Amino acid sequence: MQITVLKETQADEARVALVPESVKKLVGMKAAVSIESGAGAAAGASDADYEAVGATISRDRATLLANADVLLAVNRPDESDLNALKSGAVLIGFLKPLDEPQALKPLLARHVSAFPVELIPRSTRAQAMDALSSMAALVGYKAVLLAAEHLPRIFPMMTTAAGTIPPAKVLVIGAGVVGLQAIATARRLGAVVEGFDVRAAAGEAVRSLGAKFLEVDMGGESAEGAGGYAKEVTEETMNKSRELIAKTAKATDCIITSAAVPGRAAPLLITEDAVKAMKPGSVIIDLSGATGGNCALTKPGETIEAHGVTIMAPLNLAATLAVNASQLYSRNLTTFLSEMIQDGALKVDLTNDVVGPACAVHAGEAKHPRLQGVI
Ligand code: NAD
């Protein structure tokens, strides 16, 4: 069984799908691993590091693709790469199955099996395979550092001979994995933190990190959908949320926002009026830029200034921590892939409780319910 890792082609990408530590494990499972030369360079792994643990290094991308039984990727490879995979090959990576389903269409004709890591169940058993959580934790941490760097004030309270500086006030919108890590990091830096989410269950987690939980009266409506994810809420709840955020924003120095509903456009929670009401020099870090952003003024991938407020919407913060992000992602992939390896051979069993739900397409058919009839 041939496992292949290519150099990522996306401009801002520095992560690699497998680090040497994982290659060693896979070689121990009797798999052959081939790495495109330079694939790990930006994540701290040299060709020699991979060779030392039993991988083969190649510069011939076309041959690597043609021979791959399993292609492990960070981002979805280009269409030309997808079209170079052989029939029966397995592709695993961030494939955006719900946001860009049509891009998976070429895999149907080629009978490639695709397992987007976004579809791996968020179950207790699959926790060690949860690539979304791995990346989210790093993104939440980095977002706070970014905010701290751009804010013209400090986070902690500081008592000096010239007087006392009050702590910065941070509002974290969306208390999923990103938001909770942002709350924990901002608290560690000494900020006073408030957290907001439509899932009532998030309240306990927010409070346990020493932050205040902001709640809207949802009139008995539950925002908790399948798998613990949020579902879309009514326009009335959205309006109440926007009002609460606008009111809180007036006294907030920094907003870190990552509210999301899987497969939907990001909920619009910060209006232009809310931005106008913020103090000059305030910072908004919008981590939902890839799906449109939580702030009305967000320009995905850009940093802008509006009404004296800096609004940043970085699209790939995990790549700025490529060493740790690759380590975690590589471990997630290796644990997931080991569910498909038996005696060194590839065995795709869709009755497996993790492998089955994570399958987008297989043997020329769309397998995931959200893709059936769509591609
Ligand atoms: P996500 O990235 O899909 O969304 C981020 C947050 O935005 C969520 O907390 C969501 O409730 C919130 N949100 C959505 N619409 C909103 C709105 N209109 N206003 C305010 N907030 C809004 O979430 P995630 O980080 O991937 O986590 C989703 C869920 O999965 C959480 O309940 C999390 O605790 C759970 N989870 C479970 C496991 C596990 O058991 N293995 C692992 C990771 C996450």
Side-chain angles (χ1 to χ4, degrees), residues 122-123 127 130 133 174-177 196-199 227-230 233 238 258-262 267 269:
R122 308 300 275 279
S123 61
Q127 252 174 9
D130 187 350
S133 288
V177 184
F196 171 69
D197 201 295
V198 277
R199 283 182 305 111
Y229 284 110
V233 293
M238 283 302 295
S258 64
V261 177
L269 291 160

Side-chain angles (χ1 to χ4, degrees), residues 121-128 130 132-134 136 172-180 196-202 205 216 223-224 226-234 237-238 241 245 257-263 265-269 288 294:
R122 308 300 275 279
S123 61
T124 307
R125 186 170 100 74
Q127 252 174 9
D130 187 350
L132 282 177
S133 288
S134 299
V172 173
I173 302 174
V177 184
V178 173
L180 292 177
F196 171 69
D197 201 295
V198 277
R199 283 182 305 111
V216 284
E224 191 110 10
Y229 284 110
K231 58 182 191 195
E232 276 175 310
V233 293
T234 60
T237 297
M238 283 302 295
S241 305
I245 287 165
T257 183
S258 64
V261 177
L268 186 60
L269 291 160
S288 296
N294 295 139

